Amino acid sequence: MPKNKVVPIEEAMSRIKSGMSIAIGGFIGQGDPLTLIDHLKTMDVGDLTIYENDAGFRDRGTVELVKQGKVKKIVASHIGTTPEIGKAMNEGRLEVEPTPQGTLAEMMRSGGAGLGGFLTPTGIGTVAEEGKQIVELEGRKYILVPSVRCDVALIRAHAGDTWGNLIYRGTSRNFNVPAATCADYVVAEVENLYTMGELDPNAIHTSGIFVDAVVRANIDYCVIREEVFNGQ
Amino acid sequence: MASDAKKVIAARAARELEDGQIINLGIGLPTLIANYVPEGIDVVIQTENGAVGVGPAPDPGCEDRDRANAGNQPITLIPGGSYFDSATSFGMIRGGHIDATFLGTLQVDEQGNIANWIVPGKMLAGMGGAMDLITGAKVVYIVSEHCSKDGASKLMKQCTFPLTGAEEADVVITERALFRRYPERGWVLEEIAAGYTLDDIAACTDMAYTVADDVKFDAYGAD
């Protein structure tokens, strides 16, 4: 019988120490692991390096950790939805490494798949080339991008069983899938928790093999999403 | 509300669509193109945050918290649509499975270079998925107002902001004119919108172009 990985949030998050790298799932609020981020806000850690598509939406999400001064660097594709990030960067409080969205997703996926890196045509002739090796194959130029492995990943799923098999819903799947694979310790918050055997094995998006700790999501996520939709 | 110029651009861009195409629409103006798809043309819309088969916006009160586009606006999904993760989504995009992408821009230039993700020292939005879309989509449409807010031409000799893509723009559609870029000829002015003359376009366009022999006047924007 696979192990029951459901633990109190304090125990799951105690793995996070200052100076660590963290991959975070979600896409400007869609599927962001807000329960885990909220807990991280209460912890005495700093100098974090975050790999995430963005820093959340407006004043909610990873941007809150930046405001607290916990984040040293963020590797992201888009920070336009959280004005505080640009401000923190301009004031020298935060290092931002803009990365094309597909490149960031593939850095996580290939890191989780045991590959050292990959060749992408995205960003040839742009600043995305800077500091990177260019490889030419059959007449086309590619950027050699190293994969990423993180200390911890924080993700959110619609449903999960006690071993950490996960099912996402709608466009909340996004970066949660690759982020789940690329870290030494993966914490999943789940909206609906099931016992083993209750979820259809054909429908699992993330195998429990990738997940180390399962925590119940306790944020009223519906309310947050409605506020976002109504605000635009 | 979208300005008249934006509506004119979106409506003309929609006439480029071909039946059966898979397309990706950028955030902002490009999203409006979905409102003008001509009758008899069926296109399938991919959104890079992880869905294909994006349908009309939901009625108020019917939004689903887990159904949104890359601009975080609520969406519906048409029958046959599906969801996927970001790595899969960008596999589709880089892998050449998207027929056309429509993107706004800050600058576009003579070589087909596109700059739309950063104003150095002022704004850093990030490139999001634009670099991948520009690289991977078969046809790259730039849909944008002809001039920036300060009146300068966005159609430049050479981009001054950091590039999003090098030599990738295929078509530029503004509220004033439509240009296509050909391998040997470069940019060709093919259509002029209602209310503008050849001289008007020349006066507000900094990039070099030639005028098509059969350039169309009053080609769009009349209604």
Side-chain angles (χ1 to χ4, degrees), chain A residues 100-163:
Chain A
Q101 205 167 105
T103 298
L104 182 59
E106 193 60 23
M107 282 163 63
M108 294 181 185
R109 196 205 67 81
S110 62
L115 304 177
F118 58 94
L119 301 174
T120 180
T122 298
I124 286 288
T126 76
V127 292
E129 275 187 11
E130 281 174 13
K132 301 263 178 19
Q133 193 182 331
I134 307 298
V135 177
E136 198 163 326
L137 279 180
E138 295 179 5
R140 193 171 187 195
K141 283 183 181 171
Y142 298 87
I143 300 175
L144 174 57
V145 181
S147 302
V148 64
R149 289 286 306 188
C150 291
D151 296 307
V152 175
L154 306 178
I155 59 172
R156 180 186 180 96
H158 179 64
D161 67 19
T162 52
W163 193 51

Side-chain angles (χ1 to χ4, degrees), chain B:
Chain B
M1 284 305 276
S3 70
D4 285 349
K6 286 179 180 171
K7 289 179 191 167
V8 166
I9 297 163
R12 177 59 193 87
R15 280 167 45 203
E16 290 288 303
L17 300 173
E18 293 169 27
D19 199 36
Q21 275 185 324
I22 314 288
I23 63 168
N24 182 296
L25 303 175
I27 295 165
L29 193 167
T31 306
L32 300 175
I33 294 168
N35 301 338
Y36 297 94
V37 179
E39 207 156 316
I41 299 289
D42 250 333
V43 290
V44 177
I45 300 174
Q46 197 251 20
T47 182
E48 67 270 23
N49 56 322
V52 66
V54 176
D59 292 331
C62 295
E63 298 91 351
D64 183 324
R65 64 196 169 90
D66 290 320
R67 284 184 185 172
N69 62 20
N72 223 358
Q73 295 169 308
I75 58 167
T76 57
L77 210 65
I78 59 171
S82 64
Y83 301 109
F84 32 82
D85 67 83
S86 297
T88 304
S89 180
F90 282 91
M92 293 173 181
I93 290 167
R94 282 188 313 263
H97 307 282
I98 306 295
D99 293 310
T101 187
F102 293 79
L103 295 161
T105 203
L106 298 166
Q107 301 177 334
V108 59
D109 74 17
E110 230 161 90
Q111 272 69 50
N113 297 323
I114 300 159
N116 67 359
W117 70 279
I118 181 172
V119 179
K122 282 189 183 163
M123 174 210 83
L124 171 61
M127 65 286 281
M131 281 191 181
D132 299 280
L133 283 159
I134 285 170
T135 304
K138 289 177 193 156
V139 185
V140 176
Y141 287 92
I142 294 300
V143 289
S144 169
E145 288 176 86
H146 206 101
C147 296
S148 58
K149 286 193 181 90
D150 63 8
S153 182
K154 289 186 171 193
L155 285 52
M156 308 180 73
K157 256 196 120 39
Q158 193 169 17
C159 292
T160 55
F161 298 152
L163 301 185
T164 317
E167 301 180 28
E168 295 279 8
D170 296 304
V171 186
V172 170
I173 301 173
T174 78
E175 78 284 13
R176 303 180 192 181
L178 181 150
F179 301 84
R180 270 181 231 276
R181 195 167 66 94
Y182 295 91
E184 275 155 34
R185 220 178 141 182
W187 288 108
V188 176
L189 172 60
E190 296 192 341
E191 296 183 19
I192 299 175
Y196 297 94
T197 65
L198 274 175
D199 286 345
D200 291 337
I201 302 306
C204 64
T205 305
D206 292 344
M207 69 179 188
Y209 61 90
T210 53
V211 180
D213 294 341
D214 58 349
V215 60
K216 290 191 191 108
F217 293 91
D218 297 325
Y220 58 97
D223 46 32

Side-chain angles (χ1 to χ4, degrees), chain A residues 8-26:
Chain A
I9 191 167
E10 294 78 10
E11 189 184 323
M13 297 295 281
S14 68
R15 290 286 294 248
I16 299 178
K17 309 289 181 207
S18 290
M20 280 189 167
S21 56
I22 308 179
I24 302 183

